[in-house]
Amino acid sequence: MEEPLPPPPPPLLPQAAPPPAPPESAAPAAPLDGDPAAELAAEWNIPPNAPACMERHLERAHYRADGALLLGASGLNGRCWTGSLWVFAEPRRAPSEGFCTAGVQTEAGVADLCWLADRGILVASDSGAVELWELEENESLIVNKFCKYEHDDIVTSVSVLAGSSQAVSGGRDCCVKVWDIPEQTVLHSYRAHSDAVTCVASCPGKDTVFLSCAEDNRILLWDTRCPKPATRIVCSACNYLPTSVMWHPQKSDIFVLGDESGTVALVDTKNPDSALSAAVHVRAVTGFAFSAHSSPLLASISEDCSVAVLDSDLSEVFRNNSHRDFVKGLSWSPSDDALLTTVGWDHQVLHHTVPLPAGEASGINCVKE
């Protein structure tokens, strides 16, 4: 005979919730005054249309005459390569997104950029486009004015010609193009190079003259007034592929040349074999900038992660190795002649104080009382 099952256990009685803590037992909120983190959060104010996050790879930096800093960034990781443009009224805040004056996402990486007058931004895009953007709404908004796909590959370099109504671009499609900015059209398209164009540079004070260099080991001096506008410059001081060129700001016949070995040369277009050269870097030169001093200093940057500043004899007066990846952009501050700003693929924006030449004074200390 089976034994009867035991009776079920009595049901559990619901437990009452604990009484809420009296208001007087709550911890008081921490005051905001004097709290650096709270003050920082209060100032964080991303302008309209600005991306929430800046891409890691900083490509270019350019100061405007009033001291505003323009940055171009690219995202070179992942399946989609995007980019962005940023303007900082306070350059020391860069690259913190929340302290920018304006920012905008671009459809592709930013290979090069420069200011066009006071509010325009000319961009060389990885998409093959040359783009013009403009600051509006009290400079809190960056608006696209045109985007022209005239190159068949990445646009590697852009430069605004004297007068600001025309510009020149170079790309990996071996082409050099001259643009009419107000008409948004290409005036001239040249295929004088046989490999990717690495840099173009306008000549100060001459709206038809510029330089180009390319991976075909050719440096070309251009004058669009001539029936055959390109003249080859042969410089024996640089034996490797040219990577960067820039005109001297005070001497229209002199330009500086950098190559993939890290050599820097000052070249006279009338006598290129007499070029003054120095082994400044150990890897490719990525850019130059002349200071505004009466005897300009020359700053150079490189894929060796270093920043160097040279005098007129190409003797080194300053060097910094704080970057941890390729240094890609540089610009001298218009408000302090001793301040040089550099950016790189390590996402750093570094501000360097450079020793001044004898007889020069820093602009920041030259304000009359």
Short mmCIF file of all heavy atoms in Angstrom, two decimals, residues 97-166:
data_model
loop_
_atom_site.label_atom_id
_atom_site.label_comp_id
_atom_site.label_asym_id
_atom_site.label_seq_id
_atom_site.Cartn_x
_atom_site.Cartn_y
_atom_site.Cartn_z
N GLU A 97 36.93 67.84 -29.18
CA GLU A 97 35.80 68.18 -30.04
C GLU A 97 34.86 69.20 -29.41
O GLU A 97 34.32 70.06 -30.10
CB GLU A 97 35.01 66.92 -30.39
CG GLU A 97 35.78 65.86 -31.15
CD GLU A 97 36.49 64.86 -30.23
OE1 GLU A 97 36.61 65.15 -29.02
OE2 GLU A 97 36.92 63.82 -30.74
N GLY A 98 34.65 69.11 -28.11
CA GLY A 98 33.68 69.97 -27.46
C GLY A 98 34.06 71.42 -27.39
O GLY A 98 33.23 72.26 -27.04
N PHE A 99 35.29 71.73 -27.73
CA PHE A 99 35.75 73.12 -27.65
C PHE A 99 36.00 73.73 -29.02
O PHE A 99 36.58 74.80 -29.14
CB PHE A 99 37.02 73.20 -26.80
CG PHE A 99 36.81 72.72 -25.40
CD1 PHE A 99 37.33 71.50 -24.99
CD2 PHE A 99 36.08 73.46 -24.50
CE1 PHE A 99 37.13 71.04 -23.71
CE2 PHE A 99 35.88 73.01 -23.20
CZ PHE A 99 36.40 71.80 -22.80
N CYS A 100 35.54 73.05 -30.07
CA CYS A 100 35.71 73.61 -31.41
C CYS A 100 34.69 74.71 -31.66
O CYS A 100 33.62 74.75 -31.05
CB CYS A 100 35.58 72.51 -32.47
SG CYS A 100 33.90 71.93 -32.76
N THR A 101 35.03 75.61 -32.57
CA THR A 101 34.10 76.65 -33.00
C THR A 101 33.11 76.10 -34.01
O THR A 101 31.93 76.45 -34.02
CB THR A 101 34.86 77.83 -33.61
OG1 THR A 101 35.86 78.27 -32.69
CG2 THR A 101 33.94 78.98 -33.93
N ALA A 102 33.63 75.23 -34.91
CA ALA A 102 32.80 74.61 -35.94
C ALA A 102 33.46 73.32 -36.38
O ALA A 102 34.67 73.14 -36.26
CB ALA A 102 32.61 75.55 -37.13
N GLY A 103 32.63 72.40 -36.88
CA GLY A 103 33.15 71.13 -37.39
C GLY A 103 32.15 70.51 -38.34
O GLY A 103 30.95 70.80 -38.28
N VAL A 104 32.65 69.65 -39.25
CA VAL A 104 31.76 68.99 -40.19
C VAL A 104 32.39 67.69 -40.65
O VAL A 104 33.62 67.57 -40.75
CB VAL A 104 31.45 69.91 -41.40
CG1 VAL A 104 32.67 70.07 -42.31
CG2 VAL A 104 30.27 69.39 -42.20
N GLN A 105 31.55 66.70 -40.92
CA GLN A 105 32.00 65.40 -41.46
C GLN A 105 32.16 65.51 -42.97
O GLN A 105 31.37 66.16 -43.65
CB GLN A 105 30.98 64.32 -41.14
CG GLN A 105 31.49 62.90 -41.33
CD GLN A 105 32.24 62.40 -40.10
OE1 GLN A 105 31.72 62.47 -39.00
NE2 GLN A 105 33.45 61.91 -40.30
N THR A 106 33.20 64.87 -43.50
CA THR A 106 33.39 64.79 -44.95
C THR A 106 33.21 63.34 -45.38
O THR A 106 33.37 62.42 -44.59
CB THR A 106 34.78 65.29 -45.36
OG1 THR A 106 35.78 64.52 -44.69
CG2 THR A 106 34.94 66.76 -45.02
N GLU A 107 32.88 63.16 -46.66
CA GLU A 107 32.54 61.82 -47.13
C GLU A 107 33.77 60.92 -47.26
O GLU A 107 33.63 59.70 -47.36
CB GLU A 107 31.84 61.89 -48.49
CG GLU A 107 32.72 62.36 -49.62
CD GLU A 107 32.08 62.15 -50.98
OE1 GLU A 107 30.97 61.60 -51.02
OE2 GLU A 107 32.69 62.51 -51.99
N ALA A 108 34.96 61.50 -47.28
CA ALA A 108 36.18 60.72 -47.43
C ALA A 108 37.29 61.39 -46.63
O ALA A 108 37.10 62.47 -46.05
CB ALA A 108 36.57 60.60 -48.90
N GLY A 109 38.45 60.75 -46.60
CA GLY A 109 39.57 61.31 -45.86
C GLY A 109 40.04 62.64 -46.45
O GLY A 109 39.84 62.94 -47.62
N VAL A 110 40.65 63.44 -45.59
CA VAL A 110 41.17 64.76 -45.98
C VAL A 110 42.67 64.63 -46.23
O VAL A 110 43.44 64.42 -45.29
CB VAL A 110 40.89 65.80 -44.89
CG1 VAL A 110 41.50 67.15 -45.26
CG2 VAL A 110 39.39 65.94 -44.65
N ALA A 111 43.08 64.74 -47.49
CA ALA A 111 44.50 64.62 -47.81
C ALA A 111 45.24 65.95 -47.63
O ALA A 111 46.41 65.97 -47.25
CB ALA A 111 44.67 64.13 -49.25
N ASP A 112 44.56 67.06 -47.90
CA ASP A 112 45.18 68.37 -47.76
C ASP A 112 44.07 69.40 -47.65
O ASP A 112 42.92 69.16 -48.06
CB ASP A 112 46.07 68.67 -48.98
CG ASP A 112 47.01 69.85 -48.75
OD1 ASP A 112 47.16 70.29 -47.61
OD2 ASP A 112 47.61 70.33 -49.75
N LEU A 113 44.41 70.56 -47.09
CA LEU A 113 43.45 71.67 -47.01
C LEU A 113 44.19 72.96 -46.79
O LEU A 113 45.37 72.98 -46.42
CB LEU A 113 42.40 71.43 -45.92
CG LEU A 113 42.83 71.10 -44.48
CD1 LEU A 113 43.46 72.29 -43.77
CD2 LEU A 113 41.64 70.63 -43.67
N CYS A 114 43.50 74.07 -47.01
CA CYS A 114 44.07 75.39 -46.76
C CYS A 114 42.94 76.41 -46.67
O CYS A 114 41.84 76.19 -47.15
CB CYS A 114 45.07 75.79 -47.84
SG CYS A 114 44.41 75.76 -49.52
N TRP A 115 43.24 77.53 -46.00
CA TRP A 115 42.29 78.63 -45.93
C TRP A 115 42.17 79.31 -47.28
O TRP A 115 43.16 79.48 -47.99
CB TRP A 115 42.73 79.66 -44.90
CG TRP A 115 42.57 79.27 -43.46
CD1 TRP A 115 43.56 78.91 -42.59
CD2 TRP A 115 41.34 79.22 -42.72
NE1 TRP A 115 43.03 78.63 -41.35
CE2 TRP A 115 41.68 78.82 -41.39
CE3 TRP A 115 40.01 79.47 -43.04
CZ2 TRP A 115 40.71 78.67 -40.40
CZ3 TRP A 115 39.05 79.33 -42.05
CH2 TRP A 115 39.40 78.93 -40.75
N LEU A 116 40.99 79.73 -47.63
CA LEU A 116 40.73 80.55 -48.80
C LEU A 116 40.08 81.83 -48.30
O LEU A 116 38.93 81.81 -47.85
CB LEU A 116 39.81 79.83 -49.79
CG LEU A 116 39.44 80.60 -51.05
CD1 LEU A 116 40.67 80.85 -51.91
CD2 LEU A 116 38.40 79.84 -51.86
N ALA A 117 40.85 82.94 -48.34
CA ALA A 117 40.41 84.19 -47.74
C ALA A 117 40.12 83.96 -46.24
O ALA A 117 40.84 83.22 -45.59
CB ALA A 117 39.21 84.76 -48.47
N ASP A 118 39.07 84.57 -45.71
CA ASP A 118 38.83 84.49 -44.27
C ASP A 118 37.91 83.35 -43.86
O ASP A 118 38.04 82.81 -42.76
CB ASP A 118 38.22 85.81 -43.76
CG ASP A 118 39.21 86.95 -43.80
OD1 ASP A 118 40.43 86.68 -43.70
OD2 ASP A 118 38.78 88.11 -43.95
N ARG A 119 36.98 82.98 -44.74
CA ARG A 119 35.97 82.00 -44.34
C ARG A 119 35.97 80.74 -45.18
O ARG A 119 35.31 79.76 -44.83
CB ARG A 119 34.58 82.64 -44.38
CG ARG A 119 34.38 83.81 -43.43
CD ARG A 119 32.92 84.19 -43.36
NE ARG A 119 32.38 84.52 -44.68
CZ ARG A 119 31.08 84.49 -44.99
NH1 ARG A 119 30.22 84.12 -44.07
NH2 ARG A 119 30.67 84.83 -46.20
N GLY A 120 36.67 80.73 -46.30
CA GLY A 120 36.67 79.58 -47.18
C GLY A 120 37.70 78.54 -46.77
O GLY A 120 38.78 78.87 -46.26
N ILE A 121 37.39 77.28 -47.03
CA ILE A 121 38.30 76.16 -46.74
C ILE A 121 38.35 75.28 -47.99
O ILE A 121 37.34 74.70 -48.40
CB ILE A 121 37.81 75.32 -45.54
CG1 ILE A 121 37.68 76.19 -44.29
CG2 ILE A 121 38.77 74.16 -45.28
CD1 ILE A 121 36.95 75.51 -43.14
N LEU A 122 39.52 75.21 -48.61
CA LEU A 122 39.70 74.39 -49.81
C LEU A 122 40.28 73.05 -49.41
O LEU A 122 41.27 72.99 -48.67
CB LEU A 122 40.62 75.10 -50.80
CG LEU A 122 40.67 74.54 -52.22
CD1 LEU A 122 39.32 74.71 -52.91
CD2 LEU A 122 41.77 75.21 -53.02
N VAL A 123 39.67 71.96 -49.88
CA VAL A 123 40.00 70.61 -49.41
C VAL A 123 40.37 69.71 -50.57
O VAL A 123 39.68 69.70 -51.60
CB VAL A 123 38.81 70.00 -48.63
CG1 VAL A 123 39.10 68.56 -48.22
CG2 VAL A 123 38.49 70.85 -47.39
N ALA A 124 41.43 68.93 -50.39
CA ALA A 124 41.79 67.84 -51.30
C ALA A 124 41.31 66.54 -50.67
O ALA A 124 41.72 66.20 -49.56
CB ALA A 124 43.30 67.80 -51.52
N SER A 125 40.44 65.83 -51.36
CA SER A 125 39.77 64.68 -50.78
C SER A 125 40.33 63.36 -51.30
O SER A 125 40.73 63.24 -52.47
CB SER A 125 38.27 64.75 -51.06
OG SER A 125 37.61 63.58 -50.63
N ASP A 126 40.29 62.34 -50.44
CA ASP A 126 40.65 60.99 -50.86
C ASP A 126 39.70 60.44 -51.91
O ASP A 126 40.02 59.46 -52.60
CB ASP A 126 40.65 60.05 -49.64
CG ASP A 126 41.87 60.23 -48.75
OD1 ASP A 126 42.80 60.93 -49.18
OD2 ASP A 126 41.89 59.69 -47.64
N SER A 127 38.53 61.05 -52.05
CA SER A 127 37.54 60.58 -53.01
C SER A 127 37.86 60.99 -54.44
O SER A 127 37.21 60.55 -55.39
CB SER A 127 36.16 61.11 -52.65
OG SER A 127 36.11 62.52 -52.82
N GLY A 128 38.86 61.87 -54.62
CA GLY A 128 39.16 62.41 -55.93
C GLY A 128 38.52 63.76 -56.18
O GLY A 128 38.62 64.31 -57.27
N ALA A 129 37.87 64.31 -55.17
CA ALA A 129 37.19 65.60 -55.31
C ALA A 129 38.02 66.74 -54.75
O ALA A 129 38.81 66.56 -53.81
CB ALA A 129 35.84 65.56 -54.59
N VAL A 130 37.84 67.90 -55.34
CA VAL A 130 38.28 69.17 -54.74
C VAL A 130 37.02 69.84 -54.20
O VAL A 130 36.04 70.01 -54.93
CB VAL A 130 38.99 70.06 -55.76
CG1 VAL A 130 39.23 71.45 -55.19
CG2 VAL A 130 40.31 69.43 -56.21
N GLU A 131 37.06 70.18 -52.91
CA GLU A 131 35.87 70.70 -52.24
C GLU A 131 36.12 72.10 -51.71
O GLU A 131 37.23 72.41 -51.26
CB GLU A 131 35.47 69.78 -51.08
CG GLU A 131 35.25 68.33 -51.47
CD GLU A 131 35.02 67.42 -50.28
OE1 GLU A 131 35.00 67.92 -49.13
OE2 GLU A 131 34.88 66.20 -50.49
N LEU A 132 35.09 72.92 -51.74
CA LEU A 132 35.14 74.23 -51.10
C LEU A 132 34.07 74.28 -50.02
O LEU A 132 32.89 74.04 -50.29
CB LEU A 132 34.91 75.35 -52.11
CG LEU A 132 34.90 76.77 -51.51
CD1 LEU A 132 36.25 77.11 -50.90
CD2 LEU A 132 34.52 77.81 -52.57
N TRP A 133 34.49 74.59 -48.80
CA TRP A 133 33.59 74.75 -47.67
C TRP A 133 33.70 76.19 -47.18
O TRP A 133 34.71 76.86 -47.42
CB TRP A 133 33.96 73.78 -46.54
CG TRP A 133 33.85 72.34 -46.91
CD1 TRP A 133 34.75 71.62 -47.65
CD2 TRP A 133 32.79 71.44 -46.58
NE1 TRP A 133 34.31 70.31 -47.79
CE2 TRP A 133 33.12 70.17 -47.14
CE3 TRP A 133 31.62 71.56 -45.85
CZ2 TRP A 133 32.30 69.06 -46.98
CZ3 TRP A 133 30.80 70.46 -45.70
CH2 TRP A 133 31.14 69.23 -46.27
N GLU A 134 32.67 76.64 -46.47
CA GLU A 134 32.67 78.02 -45.99
C GLU A 134 32.05 78.11 -44.61
O GLU A 134 31.06 77.41 -44.32
CB GLU A 134 31.93 78.92 -46.97
CG GLU A 134 32.15 80.41 -46.74
CD GLU A 134 31.63 81.25 -47.88
OE1 GLU A 134 32.31 81.31 -48.93
OE2 GLU A 134 30.53 81.84 -47.73
N LEU A 135 32.62 78.97 -43.78
CA LEU A 135 32.08 79.20 -42.44
C LEU A 135 30.90 80.16 -42.53
O LEU A 135 30.99 81.22 -43.15
CB LEU A 135 33.16 79.81 -41.54
CG LEU A 135 34.26 78.85 -41.06
CD1 LEU A 135 35.43 79.64 -40.48
CD2 LEU A 135 33.71 77.88 -40.03
N GLU A 136 29.78 79.79 -41.89
CA GLU A 136 28.59 80.63 -41.85
C GLU A 136 28.01 80.62 -40.43
O GLU A 136 28.54 79.97 -39.55
CB GLU A 136 27.54 80.13 -42.86
CG GLU A 136 27.99 80.25 -44.32
CD GLU A 136 26.89 79.86 -45.29
OE1 GLU A 136 25.82 79.38 -44.84
OE2 GLU A 136 27.11 80.01 -46.51
N GLU A 137 26.90 81.33 -40.27
CA GLU A 137 26.19 81.39 -38.98
C GLU A 137 27.14 81.79 -37.85
O GLU A 137 27.33 81.07 -36.87
CB GLU A 137 25.52 80.05 -38.66
CG GLU A 137 24.50 79.60 -39.67
CD GLU A 137 23.27 80.48 -39.71
OE1 GLU A 137 22.99 81.14 -38.70
OE2 GLU A 137 22.64 80.53 -40.78
N ASN A 138 27.77 82.96 -38.04
CA ASN A 138 28.70 83.46 -37.03
C ASN A 138 29.84 82.46 -36.79
O ASN A 138 30.33 82.29 -35.67
CB ASN A 138 27.98 83.76 -35.70
CG ASN A 138 28.79 84.68 -34.80
OD1 ASN A 138 29.61 85.46 -35.29
ND2 ASN A 138 28.57 84.58 -33.50
N GLU A 139 30.24 81.79 -37.87
CA GLU A 139 31.35 80.83 -37.89
C GLU A 139 31.11 79.62 -36.99
O GLU A 139 32.05 78.97 -36.54
CB GLU A 139 32.68 81.50 -37.53
CG GLU A 139 33.05 82.62 -38.48
CD GLU A 139 34.52 82.97 -38.47
OE1 GLU A 139 35.23 82.50 -37.58
OE2 GLU A 139 34.95 83.71 -39.38
N SER A 140 29.85 79.28 -36.76
CA SER A 140 29.54 78.07 -36.00
C SER A 140 29.15 76.92 -36.92
O SER A 140 28.91 75.80 -36.46
CB SER A 140 28.39 78.34 -35.02
OG SER A 140 27.18 78.64 -35.72
N LEU A 141 29.10 77.18 -38.23
CA LEU A 141 28.63 76.18 -39.19
C LEU A 141 29.58 76.16 -40.39
O LEU A 141 29.97 77.22 -40.89
CB LEU A 141 27.21 76.52 -39.64
CG LEU A 141 26.35 75.42 -40.25
CD1 LEU A 141 26.11 74.31 -39.25
CD2 LEU A 141 25.03 76.00 -40.73
N ILE A 142 29.96 74.96 -40.84
CA ILE A 142 30.78 74.79 -42.05
C ILE A 142 29.88 74.21 -43.13
O ILE A 142 29.36 73.10 -42.98
CB ILE A 142 31.99 73.89 -41.79
CG1 ILE A 142 32.84 74.42 -40.63
CG2 ILE A 142 32.84 73.78 -43.05
CD1 ILE A 142 34.03 73.54 -40.29
N VAL A 143 29.69 74.97 -44.22
CA VAL A 143 28.74 74.61 -45.27
C VAL A 143 29.50 74.33 -46.56
O VAL A 143 30.43 75.06 -46.93
CB VAL A 143 27.72 75.75 -45.50
CG1 VAL A 143 26.76 75.41 -46.62
CG2 VAL A 143 26.96 76.03 -44.20
N ASN A 144 29.10 73.26 -47.27
CA ASN A 144 29.74 72.93 -48.53
C ASN A 144 29.25 73.85 -49.65
O ASN A 144 28.05 74.03 -49.83
CB ASN A 144 29.46 71.47 -48.90
CG ASN A 144 30.19 71.05 -50.16
OD1 ASN A 144 29.61 71.00 -51.24
ND2 ASN A 144 31.46 70.74 -50.02
N LYS A 145 30.19 74.40 -50.42
CA LYS A 145 29.87 75.28 -51.54
C LYS A 145 29.99 74.56 -52.87
O LYS A 145 29.23 74.82 -53.79
CB LYS A 145 30.77 76.52 -51.52
CG LYS A 145 30.51 77.44 -50.34
CD LYS A 145 29.06 77.93 -50.35
CE LYS A 145 28.77 78.86 -49.18
NZ LYS A 145 27.38 79.34 -49.19
N PHE A 146 30.99 73.69 -53.01
CA PHE A 146 31.03 72.83 -54.19
C PHE A 146 31.93 71.63 -53.91
O PHE A 146 32.78 71.65 -53.01
CB PHE A 146 31.45 73.57 -55.46
CG PHE A 146 32.90 73.96 -55.55
CD1 PHE A 146 33.90 73.01 -55.83
CD2 PHE A 146 33.28 75.28 -55.44
CE1 PHE A 146 35.23 73.39 -55.96
CE2 PHE A 146 34.61 75.67 -55.57
CZ PHE A 146 35.59 74.70 -55.82
N CYS A 147 31.69 70.58 -54.70
CA CYS A 147 32.46 69.33 -54.60
C CYS A 147 32.58 68.80 -56.03
O CYS A 147 31.61 68.31 -56.60
CB CYS A 147 31.73 68.34 -53.69
SG CYS A 147 32.53 66.73 -53.55
N LYS A 148 33.78 68.91 -56.61
CA LYS A 148 34.00 68.59 -58.02
C LYS A 148 34.95 67.40 -58.16
O LYS A 148 36.09 67.45 -57.69
CB LYS A 148 34.57 69.81 -58.75
CG LYS A 148 33.67 71.04 -58.71
CD LYS A 148 32.42 70.84 -59.55
CE LYS A 148 31.59 72.12 -59.60
NZ LYS A 148 30.42 71.98 -60.46
N TYR A 149 34.46 66.36 -58.85
CA TYR A 149 35.26 65.15 -59.06
C TYR A 149 35.96 65.24 -60.42
O TYR A 149 35.57 64.61 -61.39
CB TYR A 149 34.36 63.91 -59.01
CG TYR A 149 33.76 63.66 -57.65
CD1 TYR A 149 32.53 64.22 -57.30
CD2 TYR A 149 34.42 62.87 -56.71
CE1 TYR A 149 31.98 64.00 -56.04
CE2 TYR A 149 33.87 62.65 -55.45
CZ TYR A 149 32.65 63.21 -55.13
OH TYR A 149 32.11 63.00 -53.88
N GLU A 150 37.02 66.03 -60.48
CA GLU A 150 37.76 66.20 -61.72
C GLU A 150 39.00 65.29 -61.77
O GLU A 150 39.53 65.04 -62.85
CB GLU A 150 38.18 67.66 -61.90
CG GLU A 150 37.00 68.61 -62.07
CD GLU A 150 36.30 68.44 -63.40
OE1 GLU A 150 36.88 67.81 -64.31
OE2 GLU A 150 35.16 68.93 -63.54
N HIS A 151 39.47 64.83 -60.64
CA HIS A 151 40.60 63.89 -60.59
C HIS A 151 40.06 62.46 -60.59
O HIS A 151 38.98 62.19 -60.07
CB HIS A 151 41.45 64.13 -59.34
CG HIS A 151 42.31 65.36 -59.42
ND1 HIS A 151 43.56 65.36 -59.99
CD2 HIS A 151 42.09 66.63 -58.99
CE1 HIS A 151 44.09 66.57 -59.91
NE2 HIS A 151 43.21 67.37 -59.30
N ASP A 152 40.86 61.55 -61.14
CA ASP A 152 40.46 60.14 -61.22
C ASP A 152 41.05 59.30 -60.10
O ASP A 152 40.96 58.07 -60.13
CB ASP A 152 40.90 59.55 -62.57
CG ASP A 152 40.15 60.20 -63.73
OD1 ASP A 152 38.99 60.60 -63.54
OD2 ASP A 152 40.76 60.33 -64.81
N ASP A 153 41.67 59.93 -59.14
CA ASP A 153 42.24 59.23 -57.98
C ASP A 153 42.33 60.24 -56.84
O ASP A 153 41.85 61.37 -56.96
CB ASP A 153 43.61 58.65 -58.35
CG ASP A 153 43.99 57.42 -57.50
OD1 ASP A 153 43.55 57.36 -56.33
OD2 ASP A 153 44.70 56.54 -58.01
N ILE A 154 42.96 59.84 -55.75
CA ILE A 154 43.09 60.71 -54.58
C ILE A 154 43.72 62.05 -54.97
O ILE A 154 44.71 62.10 -55.69
CB ILE A 154 43.96 60.02 -53.51
CG1 ILE A 154 43.24 58.79 -52.95
CG2 ILE A 154 44.31 60.98 -52.38
CD1 ILE A 154 44.12 57.94 -52.04
N VAL A 155 43.13 63.15 -54.49
CA VAL A 155 43.74 64.47 -54.63
C VAL A 155 44.70 64.63 -53.46
O VAL A 155 44.29 64.64 -52.30
CB VAL A 155 42.68 65.59 -54.63
CG1 VAL A 155 43.34 66.94 -54.90
CG2 VAL A 155 41.60 65.32 -55.67
N THR A 156 45.99 64.74 -53.77
CA THR A 156 47.00 64.72 -52.71
C THR A 156 47.34 66.10 -52.17
O THR A 156 47.80 66.22 -51.02
CB THR A 156 48.28 64.08 -53.24
OG1 THR A 156 48.69 64.77 -54.44
CG2 THR A 156 48.07 62.60 -53.56
N SER A 157 47.12 67.16 -52.98
CA SER A 157 47.59 68.48 -52.57
C SER A 157 46.77 69.58 -53.24
O SER A 157 46.37 69.45 -54.40
CB SER A 157 49.08 68.62 -52.95
OG SER A 157 49.61 69.86 -52.55
N VAL A 158 46.53 70.66 -52.50
CA VAL A 158 45.89 71.86 -53.06
C VAL A 158 46.65 73.09 -52.56
O VAL A 158 47.24 73.08 -51.48
CB VAL A 158 44.39 71.99 -52.66
CG1 VAL A 158 43.56 70.95 -53.36
CG2 VAL A 158 44.22 71.92 -51.15
N SER A 159 46.62 74.15 -53.37
CA SER A 159 47.27 75.40 -52.99
C SER A 159 46.54 76.55 -53.66
O SER A 159 46.22 76.47 -54.86
CB SER A 159 48.74 75.38 -53.40
OG SER A 159 49.42 76.54 -52.96
N VAL A 160 46.26 77.61 -52.90
CA VAL A 160 45.57 78.78 -53.44
C VAL A 160 46.59 79.70 -54.07
O VAL A 160 47.60 80.05 -53.46
CB VAL A 160 44.80 79.51 -52.33
CG1 VAL A 160 44.12 80.75 -52.88
CG2 VAL A 160 43.77 78.59 -51.70
N LEU A 161 46.34 80.11 -55.32
CA LEU A 161 47.25 81.02 -56.01
C LEU A 161 47.07 82.44 -55.51
O LEU A 161 46.03 82.79 -54.94
CB LEU A 161 47.00 80.95 -57.52
CG LEU A 161 47.29 79.58 -58.17
CD1 LEU A 161 46.87 79.59 -59.63
CD2 LEU A 161 48.76 79.22 -58.04
N ALA A 162 48.08 83.28 -55.74
CA ALA A 162 48.01 84.68 -55.33
C ALA A 162 46.78 85.33 -55.95
O ALA A 162 46.48 85.15 -57.12
CB ALA A 162 49.27 85.41 -55.77
N GLY A 163 46.06 86.10 -55.14
CA GLY A 163 44.81 86.72 -55.58
C GLY A 163 43.59 86.00 -55.09
O GLY A 163 42.49 86.56 -55.08
N SER A 164 43.75 84.73 -54.71
CA SER A 164 42.70 83.92 -54.07
C SER A 164 41.52 83.58 -54.97
O SER A 164 40.54 83.01 -54.50
CB SER A 164 42.17 84.61 -52.80
OG SER A 164 43.20 84.77 -51.86
N SER A 165 41.59 83.91 -56.26
CA SER A 165 40.49 83.55 -57.15
C SER A 165 40.76 82.25 -57.91
O SER A 165 39.86 81.70 -58.53
CB SER A 165 40.22 84.66 -58.15
OG SER A 165 41.33 84.86 -59.00
N GLN A 166 42.00 81.77 -57.84
CA GLN A 166 42.37 80.53 -58.50
C GLN A 166 43.15 79.65 -57.54
O GLN A 166 43.71 80.12 -56.55
CB GLN A 166 43.20 80.79 -59.76
CG GLN A 166 42.46 81.52 -60.85
CD GLN A 166 43.30 81.72 -62.10
OE1 GLN A 166 44.37 81.15 -62.25
NE2 GLN A 166 42.79 82.54 -63.01
#
